[in-house]
Amino acid sequence: MTSTASRPRPPHAIRRGVSLYSFQEEYFLRTLSVQDCIAAAAGMGATGIEIIPEQSIPGYPVVSDEFLTRWHEWMRRYGTTPVATNAFLDTKLHPDRMLTLDEQASRVRRDIDIAVLLGAPIVKATINFSPEAMAAVAPYAEEQGVRLLLEVHAPFHYDHPWVVEHLEVMHRAGAHVLGLMPDMGIHVRRFPRVVSERALRDGARPDLVDYIVRTYDDHGDTHALMDIVNYRGGGPVESGLARQATHYIWSEPKEMLAHMPFVGHIQAKFYEMTDEGTEYSIPYEEIVPVLVEGGFTGCLSSEYEGNRHLQDAFDVDSVEQVRRQQTMLARLLGESD
């Protein structure tokens, strides 16, 4: 058997990381602290740390000297590196009006400043960021040495008119400033089992749940499901599940290749890692080779979202779920047998 020391290095520069959002259940319940989450990720060999400042920094948007000192000490202690922060643009902050473009730009510049303080080279822009807002802050991001990446999140996709508008801005600004952060929830091949099983526990009719799941898995017309469920006498739970089906999409992983120069970070979304070590809904065995083929050099950042579909009936173990995904990613990246 080839030893770890003598095993050839994988032919890529992809890193593994974790979004601390993955541990939201335990963080909310205070069974894990921010430090505990970082230590857990490091213990899995996932050394890239993605943080949501709004969630994990006491006093946000103010970042205290005390927190900064602890943050950088944690990075040194656990051998981890900040890879990305997440920014949320509350355009409807006021009940009677939208934020002006200047107000939006000011808030994004503030989030860029936080990323710089934390040492993170990337800021994730949620899908509601407008192309105009991205263009307005691009010069500041470039000045600060930060890439602002638009999260491509289901049900959006690369050919969606909103994303196409963003791509036009990105091409003008340059990939070193603006880019994409694909969320792997755009590659949901099978309806997430944890979601349909939760609907059944909530009292949904099994025949309608089965109909919704089969329609999605067969790439049927999910946008007709809400009407059909209504016509078949479904109630709020069934209608909610039908609506949920419109928020998942399946797109071929190879669609990323055309945009790879702009892809700076991957949100490795997952809902359920099975006992067999695979994700139930998202075919990472197809996704990872595409990233390698495309020369992706960023971080694959675990983003666990199964907790909310389990917490009604089971103890959530986010750490174990993330550990399973990291084991799978290490295998697919050629780091382990």
Side-chain angles (χ1 to χ4, degrees):
M1 178 180 294
T2 304
S3 69
T4 302
S6 62
R7 183 181 299 136
R9 296 183 64 183
H12 60 75
I14 300 173
R15 296 177 56 195
R16 291 185 289 116
V18 175
S19 168
L20 301 191
Y21 180 75
S22 298
F23 306 124
Q24 61 184 282
E25 185 83 12
E26 291 82 356
Y27 182 71
F28 175 78
L29 295 173
R30 297 299 186 261
T31 58
L32 288 180
S33 65
V34 174
Q35 180 180 359
D36 294 333
C37 295
I38 293 168
M44 305 168 192
T47 57
I49 301 298
E50 178 183 345
I51 185 173
I52 302 179
E54 190 171 333
Q55 177 188 57
S56 300
I57 298 180
Y60 171 90
V62 176
V63 184
S64 68
D65 291 340
E66 179 186 6
F67 181 84
L68 276 178
T69 298
R70 284 186 284 136
W71 171 259
H72 291 296
E73 170 57 27
W74 293 333
M75 294 299 106
R76 288 189 294 269
R77 179 182 304 181
Y78 299 109
T80 50
T81 305
V83 291
T85 66
N86 289 203
F88 298 89
L89 190 53
D90 298 324
T91 56
K92 298 181 180 179
L93 184 64
H94 305 290
D96 58 338
R97 67 177 181 85
M98 299 281 282
L99 291 185
T100 66
L101 181 58
D102 285 345
E103 288 172 327
Q104 293 178 45
S106 176
R107 294 174 72 88
V108 179
R109 286 194 294 268
R110 179 197 67 193
D111 288 321
I112 290 172
D113 290 341
I114 291 173
V116 171
L117 288 172
L118 297 177
I122 288 170
V123 173
K124 181 189 84 173
T126 48
I127 193 67
N128 72 310
F129 275 59
S130 69
E132 293 79 12
M134 297 285 274
V137 299
Y140 187 73
E142 184 171 23
E143 176 185 312
Q144 298 301 312
V146 169
R147 289 183 80 187
L148 190 60
L149 303 182
L150 180 75
E151 181 185 32
V152 183
H153 191 289
F156 291 80
H157 48 84
Y158 302 112
D159 293 326
H160 190 287
W162 183 249
V163 177
V164 170
E165 286 187 45
H166 272 280
L167 284 167
E168 292 171 354
V169 173
M170 290 173 195
H171 279 275
R172 291 198 299 269
H176 65 295
V177 183
L178 302 182
L180 300 169
M181 184 182 293
D183 180 294
M184 296 300 93
I186 64 176
H187 303 301
V188 174
R189 174 170 279 156
R190 292 198 293 179
F191 196 92
R193 181 169 58 180
V194 292
V195 178
S196 57
E197 290 182 347
R198 172 65 186 265
L200 290 170
R201 291 196 301 274
D202 287 343
R205 281 170 40 191
D207 62 314
L208 291 181
V209 171
D210 181 65
Y211 185 86
I212 292 167
V213 171
R214 283 190 293 107
T215 299
Y216 182 87
D217 289 355
D218 292 341
H219 306 297
D221 185 359
T222 56
H223 290 278
L225 282 172
M226 290 187 68
D227 286 335
I228 293 172
V229 164
N230 180 51
Y231 299 153
R232 293 183 182 276
V237 178
E238 292 88 352
S239 294
L241 190 67
R243 178 175 176 79
Q244 187 65 45
T246 67
H247 287 268
Y248 299 125
I249 63 169
W250 162 251
S251 58
E252 289 289 343
K254 282 188 175 292
E255 291 178 10
M256 279 190 288
L257 291 174
H259 308 287
M260 198 60 75
F262 290 94
V263 176
H265 187 84
I266 296 290
Q267 299 260 243
K269 171 75 61 62
F270 72 104
Y271 303 99
E272 179 190 0
M273 287 299 301
T274 67
D275 292 340
E276 293 72 38
T278 59
E279 213 290 329
Y280 180 81
S281 302
I282 302 172
Y284 277 92
E285 64 278 1
E286 298 176 26
I287 292 169
V288 171
V290 169
L291 294 173
V292 173
E293 177 186 348
F296 175 65
T297 59
C299 190
L300 264 170
S301 183
S302 289
E303 187 185 46
Y304 175 51
E305 285 195 3
N307 67 303
R308 67 195 66 171
H309 307 296
L310 301 173
Q311 59 195 191
D312 65 306
F314 305 101
D315 291 331
V316 175
D317 191 345
S318 305
V319 174
E320 171 60 16
Q321 281 288 299
V322 175
R323 184 196 66 77
R324 290 184 184 188
Q325 194 199 34
Q326 287 295 324
T327 299
M328 175 191 70
L329 293 177
R331 173 176 54 80
L332 293 174
L333 290 168
E335 298 177 25
S336 61
D337 294 333

